[in-house]
Amino acid sequence: MITARPVELLAPAKDLNCGMEAVRHGADAVYTGAPMFGARAAAGNPIDDIRVLCDYAHTYNVRIYVAFNTILKDSELMVAERMIHQLYDAGADALIVQDMGITQLDIPPIPLHASTQTDNVTPGKVEFLHKVGFKRIVLARELTIDEIQTISKRVPEATLEAFIHGALCVSYSGRCYMSSALSGRSANRGECAQYCRLPYTLVDSEGKTIVENKHLLSLKDLNRSDHLEAMMLAGISSFKIEGRLKDVSYVKNITAYYRRRLDAVFAQNPAFYRSSSGHSSFTFEPCPEKSFNRGFTAYFLHGREADITSFDTPKSQGESIGVVKEIKGNSFTVAGLKPIHNGDGLAFFNSRGELEGFRVNRTEANRIFPQKMPALKPKMPLYRNFDHEFENKLAAPSAERKISVRVGWGDCPTGFLLTMTDETDARITLARPFVKELARKPQDDNIRAQLAKLGNTPFEACETVISMTKNYFVPSSLLNDMRREAAEKLLSVRRIRYRRQYAKRYENDVAYPLQNLDYTANISNRKAEDFYKKHGVKTSEPSFEEVPRDDVPLMYTKHCLRYGMGWCPVFQRKKSSYKEPYYLVYKDKKLRLTFDCKNCQMLISMSSPATNPVRPLIKDTEGL
């Protein structure tokens, strides 16, 4: 039997404006970056902005989580400790962290969420994090629905979060060192150079070219909108949208889209309900294909599937709009059902297999006149990666979020009474002394009209009950004054009633699932090392960032190029005519591929001679 529980839609925000729009467009929680120490270094926010966002969001019972998920150096620990206190004082509801050293600092009782960068792939790891005090664990994107359910059954008390939309890291999060090795920019320090999005040539051990100049590590974007209820039933309570570097139109569109999809699930399954207050209305029709995307995949949610990659381009492909029908001079027609507008951005894959774009100058019915005629051919598929009319709608105020209230009006011996009760049963009552006189005309219609004027407040009257003993005259000025005061007092009550979560720090010796840790534990400070020792770890290596090395994997990934080529010995049983090892080549960079079929992974390392083989990862595979 399913236990009823709240479900959260968690939206990203690169800045204050994005955060407020995420709330307006239906988010139950928003995650944003701290001034420092976030895994997106370009998306930090001042403490004052976070305070403003918290004040606004808490009106709707929307929680604000702060990404604090880089690994820290010893010299940064005290700075981090002071900043955590500042974030707590600003109203932040939780910190998303990777570095276990943070648990050893003198910090306020702010809940900690274990970032997906802590490699949360096994029941044992999730159980450990829960037992040492993490309020939430963000699961690895690579997990299947069955693996999620296994974790949930093993640790039913843990709150589990999963990504449902946005860009995919090809590597297991937190376990990619390619950017650090090749450029000195560490992904674990918020500075990923995105080497996974570059074009590579795949060659074999004899130098024969297998695939030339393709984006072989670039994945499609995640979209699990058709699997939300299944994920809830498996144990997920928070659905996370990727995108702390995305613009505000992306945040508006994708948040609104998933708000509608989740609400539709709630309407069918009362065991689940939203975790915040209010309801959002939109001036546009949400459509994920109209925001940045490389095509969509559910990734490994239902097991391994072939179509997860975006080999041809790492750029936004957009939505399919049809095919080229007829080319005539400096124009062409499209066979498709979607209208195209002046200013739209269209794209197609050219003869070299590259995504090429152009701007629409004007249209006449289904005939398109580009600013500059591209090299199109009949029957060529077309995509729209910029919808001018849609973006204009998003650039304007595009959503309104209101909290439903029931309003009651009546009289008392000395005057009149106004009650206002919101959807969470927060309630206020105002009594105003007033000399009562019988009215010549019925008053009910005007009373309802004046009390419903809540437009500049977070509230919306869903019901007005009038219970006067007689038809007393009620001036509009009195109604307006009492309505304004009631709304202000109800807002104050909601702020007082906001239930902030507090974390208890656990001092225990729960054993970590492993006794020996290699560089993939990302230990870069003495506090993190102390944490693991306290929990039974006997030996540990420093992080790759602290001690770079060339004899270890730089990336390990569930994406497998041998499978992508059709040569997987487990699933496809088809042999390749090319000789291993295979290499990825980009300019002067050469990377070696190793296939770990037992754990269904591909490892990528610097090119190494056979006499200096890559060290295997120390990896906890318990339970999966």
Side-chain angles (χ1 to χ4, degrees), residues 21-22 25 247-257 282 284 286 393-399:
E21 291 298 346
H25 287 74
D247 60 26
V248 70
S249 66
Y250 171 95
V251 172
K252 288 181 174 185
N253 183 32
I254 303 304
T255 304
Y257 176 73
F282 314 117
F284 67 101
K393 290 180 181 178
L394 291 177
S398 52

PDB file of all heavy atoms in Angstrom, residues 21-22 25 247-257 282 284 286 393-399:
ATOM      1  N   GLU A  21      10.594  33.739 -11.099  1.00  0.00           N
ATOM      2  CA  GLU A  21       9.760  33.224 -12.187  1.00  0.00           C
ATOM      3  C   GLU A  21       9.496  31.731 -12.022  1.00  0.00           C
ATOM      4  O   GLU A  21       8.415  31.247 -12.371  1.00  0.00           O
ATOM      5  CB  GLU A  21      10.413  33.508 -13.539  1.00  0.00           C
ATOM      6  CG  GLU A  21      10.450  34.986 -13.926  1.00  0.00           C
ATOM      7  CD  GLU A  21       9.063  35.611 -14.067  1.00  0.00           C
ATOM      8  OE1 GLU A  21       8.058  34.860 -14.131  1.00  0.00           O
ATOM      9  OE2 GLU A  21       8.979  36.846 -14.107  1.00  0.00           O
ATOM     10  N   ALA A  22      10.458  31.006 -11.497  1.00  0.00           N
ATOM     11  CA  ALA A  22      10.229  29.585 -11.233  1.00  0.00           C
ATOM     12  C   ALA A  22       9.084  29.407 -10.241  1.00  0.00           C
ATOM     13  O   ALA A  22       8.221  28.539 -10.408  1.00  0.00           O
ATOM     14  CB  ALA A  22      11.507  28.934 -10.699  1.00  0.00           C
ATOM     15  N   HIS A  25       5.771  30.197 -11.911  1.00  0.00           N
ATOM     16  CA  HIS A  25       5.377  29.207 -12.910  1.00  0.00           C
ATOM     17  C   HIS A  25       5.164  27.818 -12.319  1.00  0.00           C
ATOM     18  O   HIS A  25       5.029  26.847 -13.065  1.00  0.00           O
ATOM     19  CB  HIS A  25       6.399  29.173 -14.042  1.00  0.00           C
ATOM     20  CG  HIS A  25       6.327  30.381 -14.941  1.00  0.00           C
ATOM     21  ND1 HIS A  25       6.792  31.619 -14.550  1.00  0.00           N
ATOM     22  CD2 HIS A  25       5.808  30.548 -16.192  1.00  0.00           C
ATOM     23  CE1 HIS A  25       6.581  32.494 -15.528  1.00  0.00           C
ATOM     24  NE2 HIS A  25       5.981  31.876 -16.524  1.00  0.00           N
ATOM     25  N   ASP A 247      18.548  30.268 -19.386  1.00  0.00           N
ATOM     26  CA  ASP A 247      17.924  31.588 -19.303  1.00  0.00           C
ATOM     27  C   ASP A 247      16.516  31.490 -18.744  1.00  0.00           C
ATOM     28  O   ASP A 247      15.965  30.405 -18.534  1.00  0.00           O
ATOM     29  CB  ASP A 247      17.934  32.286 -20.668  1.00  0.00           C
ATOM     30  CG  ASP A 247      17.187  31.496 -21.745  1.00  0.00           C
ATOM     31  OD1 ASP A 247      16.279  30.714 -21.399  1.00  0.00           O
ATOM     32  OD2 ASP A 247      17.511  31.667 -22.928  1.00  0.00           O
ATOM     33  N   VAL A 248      15.916  32.662 -18.505  1.00  0.00           N
ATOM     34  CA  VAL A 248      14.637  32.701 -17.803  1.00  0.00           C
ATOM     35  C   VAL A 248      13.505  32.108 -18.632  1.00  0.00           C
ATOM     36  O   VAL A 248      12.559  31.530 -18.075  1.00  0.00           O
ATOM     37  CB  VAL A 248      14.308  34.146 -17.365  1.00  0.00           C
ATOM     38  CG1 VAL A 248      13.978  35.026 -18.571  1.00  0.00           C
ATOM     39  CG2 VAL A 248      13.167  34.175 -16.357  1.00  0.00           C
ATOM     40  N   SER A 249      13.571  32.189 -19.961  1.00  0.00           N
ATOM     41  CA  SER A 249      12.493  31.612 -20.780  1.00  0.00           C
ATOM     42  C   SER A 249      12.475  30.092 -20.643  1.00  0.00           C
ATOM     43  O   SER A 249      11.408  29.472 -20.629  1.00  0.00           O
ATOM     44  CB  SER A 249      12.639  32.030 -22.246  1.00  0.00           C
ATOM     45  OG  SER A 249      13.804  31.484 -22.832  1.00  0.00           O
ATOM     46  N   TYR A 250      13.640  29.476 -20.540  1.00  0.00           N
ATOM     47  CA  TYR A 250      13.729  28.030 -20.305  1.00  0.00           C
ATOM     48  C   TYR A 250      13.085  27.680 -18.965  1.00  0.00           C
ATOM     49  O   TYR A 250      12.285  26.752 -18.864  1.00  0.00           O
ATOM     50  CB  TYR A 250      15.194  27.595 -20.334  1.00  0.00           C
ATOM     51  CG  TYR A 250      15.461  26.162 -19.908  1.00  0.00           C
ATOM     52  CD1 TYR A 250      15.557  25.140 -20.845  1.00  0.00           C
ATOM     53  CD2 TYR A 250      15.650  25.835 -18.566  1.00  0.00           C
ATOM     54  CE1 TYR A 250      15.818  23.826 -20.448  1.00  0.00           C
ATOM     55  CE2 TYR A 250      15.907  24.529 -18.169  1.00  0.00           C
ATOM     56  CZ  TYR A 250      15.997  23.534 -19.110  1.00  0.00           C
ATOM     57  OH  TYR A 250      16.252  22.242 -18.710  1.00  0.00           O
ATOM     58  N   VAL A 251      13.432  28.441 -17.934  1.00  0.00           N
ATOM     59  CA  VAL A 251      12.895  28.176 -16.595  1.00  0.00           C
ATOM     60  C   VAL A 251      11.373  28.298 -16.602  1.00  0.00           C
ATOM     61  O   VAL A 251      10.655  27.452 -16.051  1.00  0.00           O
ATOM     62  CB  VAL A 251      13.516  29.137 -15.566  1.00  0.00           C
ATOM     63  CG1 VAL A 251      12.828  29.011 -14.209  1.00  0.00           C
ATOM     64  CG2 VAL A 251      15.010  28.875 -15.423  1.00  0.00           C
ATOM     65  N   LYS A 252      10.852  29.337 -17.229  1.00  0.00           N
ATOM     66  CA  LYS A 252       9.406  29.526 -17.297  1.00  0.00           C
ATOM     67  C   LYS A 252       8.729  28.356 -18.007  1.00  0.00           C
ATOM     68  O   LYS A 252       7.774  27.752 -17.497  1.00  0.00           O
ATOM     69  CB  LYS A 252       9.085  30.824 -18.045  1.00  0.00           C
ATOM     70  CG  LYS A 252       9.396  32.106 -17.307  1.00  0.00           C
ATOM     71  CD  LYS A 252       9.002  33.302 -18.176  1.00  0.00           C
ATOM     72  CE  LYS A 252       9.145  34.618 -17.457  1.00  0.00           C
ATOM     73  NZ  LYS A 252       8.646  35.759 -18.270  1.00  0.00           N
ATOM     74  N   ASN A 253       9.200  28.034 -19.191  1.00  0.00           N
ATOM     75  CA  ASN A 253       8.546  27.035 -20.027  1.00  0.00           C
ATOM     76  C   ASN A 253       8.603  25.642 -19.416  1.00  0.00           C
ATOM     77  O   ASN A 253       7.578  24.955 -19.314  1.00  0.00           O
ATOM     78  CB  ASN A 253       9.201  27.031 -21.417  1.00  0.00           C
ATOM     79  CG  ASN A 253       8.536  26.073 -22.390  1.00  0.00           C
ATOM     80  OD1 ASN A 253       7.335  25.833 -22.328  1.00  0.00           O
ATOM     81  ND2 ASN A 253       9.323  25.515 -23.292  1.00  0.00           N
ATOM     82  N   ILE A 254       9.786  25.222 -19.000  1.00  0.00           N
ATOM     83  CA  ILE A 254       9.944  23.854 -18.509  1.00  0.00           C
ATOM     84  C   ILE A 254       9.277  23.677 -17.144  1.00  0.00           C
ATOM     85  O   ILE A 254       8.649  22.647 -16.875  1.00  0.00           O
ATOM     86  CB  ILE A 254      11.436  23.465 -18.446  1.00  0.00           C
ATOM     87  CG1 ILE A 254      12.081  23.622 -19.838  1.00  0.00           C
ATOM     88  CG2 ILE A 254      11.590  22.047 -17.956  1.00  0.00           C
ATOM     89  CD1 ILE A 254      11.405  22.833 -20.935  1.00  0.00           C
ATOM     90  N   THR A 255       9.365  24.682 -16.288  1.00  0.00           N
ATOM     91  CA  THR A 255       8.684  24.583 -14.991  1.00  0.00           C
ATOM     92  C   THR A 255       7.177  24.488 -15.189  1.00  0.00           C
ATOM     93  O   THR A 255       6.508  23.647 -14.563  1.00  0.00           O
ATOM     94  CB  THR A 255       9.027  25.797 -14.113  1.00  0.00           C
ATOM     95  OG1 THR A 255      10.448  25.897 -13.960  1.00  0.00           O
ATOM     96  CG2 THR A 255       8.385  25.665 -12.736  1.00  0.00           C
ATOM     97  N   ALA A 256       6.628  25.333 -16.053  1.00  0.00           N
ATOM     98  CA  ALA A 256       5.182  25.302 -16.310  1.00  0.00           C
ATOM     99  C   ALA A 256       4.758  23.959 -16.899  1.00  0.00           C
ATOM    100  O   ALA A 256       3.700  23.411 -16.547  1.00  0.00           O
ATOM    101  CB  ALA A 256       4.808  26.441 -17.255  1.00  0.00           C
ATOM    102  N   TYR A 257       5.587  23.418 -17.782  1.00  0.00           N
ATOM    103  CA  TYR A 257       5.251  22.135 -18.419  1.00  0.00           C
ATOM    104  C   TYR A 257       5.150  21.019 -17.382  1.00  0.00           C
ATOM    105  O   TYR A 257       4.162  20.259 -17.356  1.00  0.00           O
ATOM    106  CB  TYR A 257       6.319  21.795 -19.463  1.00  0.00           C
ATOM    107  CG  TYR A 257       6.128  20.444 -20.104  1.00  0.00           C
ATOM    108  CD1 TYR A 257       5.108  20.233 -21.025  1.00  0.00           C
ATOM    109  CD2 TYR A 257       6.964  19.383 -19.781  1.00  0.00           C
ATOM    110  CE1 TYR A 257       4.928  18.992 -21.613  1.00  0.00           C
ATOM    111  CE2 TYR A 257       6.793  18.131 -20.359  1.00  0.00           C
ATOM    112  CZ  TYR A 257       5.775  17.943 -21.278  1.00  0.00           C
ATOM    113  OH  TYR A 257       5.596  16.703 -21.854  1.00  0.00           O
ATOM    114  N   PHE A 282      -1.101  30.389 -16.797  1.00  0.00           N
ATOM    115  CA  PHE A 282      -0.101  30.795 -17.784  1.00  0.00           C
ATOM    116  C   PHE A 282      -0.748  31.501 -18.975  1.00  0.00           C
ATOM    117  O   PHE A 282      -1.886  31.193 -19.345  1.00  0.00           O
ATOM    118  CB  PHE A 282       0.678  29.578 -18.279  1.00  0.00           C
ATOM    119  CG  PHE A 282       1.145  28.659 -17.175  1.00  0.00           C
ATOM    120  CD1 PHE A 282       0.687  27.354 -17.090  1.00  0.00           C
ATOM    121  CD2 PHE A 282       2.017  29.125 -16.213  1.00  0.00           C
ATOM    122  CE1 PHE A 282       1.097  26.517 -16.066  1.00  0.00           C
ATOM    123  CE2 PHE A 282       2.442  28.293 -15.182  1.00  0.00           C
ATOM    124  CZ  PHE A 282       1.981  26.991 -15.109  1.00  0.00           C
ATOM    125  N   PHE A 284       0.681  31.227 -21.896  1.00  0.00           N
ATOM    126  CA  PHE A 284       1.243  30.493 -23.034  1.00  0.00           C
ATOM    127  C   PHE A 284       1.008  29.011 -22.816  1.00  0.00           C
ATOM    128  O   PHE A 284       0.658  28.572 -21.718  1.00  0.00           O
ATOM    129  CB  PHE A 284       2.743  30.775 -23.169  1.00  0.00           C
ATOM    130  CG  PHE A 284       3.563  30.230 -22.025  1.00  0.00           C
ATOM    131  CD1 PHE A 284       4.281  29.049 -22.150  1.00  0.00           C
ATOM    132  CD2 PHE A 284       3.607  30.896 -20.802  1.00  0.00           C
ATOM    133  CE1 PHE A 284       5.019  28.541 -21.083  1.00  0.00           C
ATOM    134  CE2 PHE A 284       4.346  30.404 -19.736  1.00  0.00           C
ATOM    135  CZ  PHE A 284       5.051  29.220 -19.871  1.00  0.00           C
ATOM    136  N   PRO A 286       2.819  25.648 -22.474  1.00  0.00           N
ATOM    137  CA  PRO A 286       4.175  25.108 -22.286  1.00  0.00           C
ATOM    138  C   PRO A 286       4.491  24.001 -23.285  1.00  0.00           C
ATOM    139  O   PRO A 286       3.642  23.155 -23.587  1.00  0.00           O
ATOM    140  CB  PRO A 286       4.140  24.574 -20.853  1.00  0.00           C
ATOM    141  CG  PRO A 286       3.021  25.308 -20.185  1.00  0.00           C
ATOM    142  CD  PRO A 286       1.996  25.534 -21.257  1.00  0.00           C
ATOM    143  N   LYS A 393       6.110  35.846 -26.035  1.00  0.00           N
ATOM    144  CA  LYS A 393       5.151  35.586 -24.954  1.00  0.00           C
ATOM    145  C   LYS A 393       5.867  35.374 -23.631  1.00  0.00           C
ATOM    146  O   LYS A 393       5.429  35.847 -22.575  1.00  0.00           O
ATOM    147  CB  LYS A 393       4.295  34.369 -25.291  1.00  0.00           C
ATOM    148  CG  LYS A 393       3.299  34.583 -26.419  1.00  0.00           C
ATOM    149  CD  LYS A 393       2.495  33.313 -26.670  1.00  0.00           C
ATOM    150  CE  LYS A 393       1.506  33.520 -27.811  1.00  0.00           C
ATOM    151  NZ  LYS A 393       0.736  32.275 -28.098  1.00  0.00           N
ATOM    152  N   LEU A 394       6.989  34.675 -23.674  1.00  0.00           N
ATOM    153  CA  LEU A 394       7.737  34.406 -22.445  1.00  0.00           C
ATOM    154  C   LEU A 394       8.465  35.642 -21.938  1.00  0.00           C
ATOM    155  O   LEU A 394       8.741  35.755 -20.739  1.00  0.00           O
ATOM    156  CB  LEU A 394       8.732  33.267 -22.678  1.00  0.00           C
ATOM    157  CG  LEU A 394       8.134  31.880 -22.885  1.00  0.00           C
ATOM    158  CD1 LEU A 394       9.219  30.859 -23.168  1.00  0.00           C
ATOM    159  CD2 LEU A 394       7.323  31.445 -21.677  1.00  0.00           C
ATOM    160  N   ALA A 395       8.796  36.554 -22.838  1.00  0.00           N
ATOM    161  CA  ALA A 395       9.493  37.776 -22.423  1.00  0.00           C
ATOM    162  C   ALA A 395       8.566  38.701 -21.630  1.00  0.00           C
ATOM    163  O   ALA A 395       9.025  39.495 -20.809  1.00  0.00           O
ATOM    164  CB  ALA A 395      10.043  38.502 -23.648  1.00  0.00           C
ATOM    165  N   ALA A 396       7.283  38.595 -21.862  1.00  0.00           N
ATOM    166  CA  ALA A 396       6.297  39.383 -21.120  1.00  0.00           C
ATOM    167  C   ALA A 396       5.915  38.634 -19.848  1.00  0.00           C
ATOM    168  O   ALA A 396       6.263  37.465 -19.681  1.00  0.00           O
ATOM    169  CB  ALA A 396       5.068  39.609 -21.993  1.00  0.00           C
ATOM    170  N   PRO A 397       5.205  39.280 -18.919  1.00  0.00           N
ATOM    171  CA  PRO A 397       4.678  38.528 -17.770  1.00  0.00           C
ATOM    172  C   PRO A 397       3.842  37.354 -18.257  1.00  0.00           C
ATOM    173  O   PRO A 397       2.867  37.535 -18.978  1.00  0.00           O
ATOM    174  CB  PRO A 397       3.831  39.577 -17.039  1.00  0.00           C
ATOM    175  CG  PRO A 397       4.475  40.882 -17.390  1.00  0.00           C
ATOM    176  CD  PRO A 397       4.920  40.728 -18.811  1.00  0.00           C
ATOM    177  N   SER A 398       4.231  36.133 -17.887  1.00  0.00           N
ATOM    178  CA  SER A 398       3.639  34.951 -18.508  1.00  0.00           C
ATOM    179  C   SER A 398       2.973  34.003 -17.524  1.00  0.00           C
ATOM    180  O   SER A 398       2.461  32.955 -17.926  1.00  0.00           O
ATOM    181  CB  SER A 398       4.717  34.185 -19.292  1.00  0.00           C
ATOM    182  OG  SER A 398       5.852  33.929 -18.479  1.00  0.00           O
ATOM    183  N   ALA A 399       2.974  34.346 -16.236  1.00  0.00           N
ATOM    184  CA  ALA A 399       2.316  33.481 -15.258  1.00  0.00           C
ATOM    185  C   ALA A 399       1.906  34.292 -14.040  1.00  0.00           C
ATOM    186  O   ALA A 399       2.475  35.345 -13.748  1.00  0.00           O
ATOM    187  CB  ALA A 399       3.242  32.344 -14.832  1.00  0.00           C
TER     188      ALA A 399
END
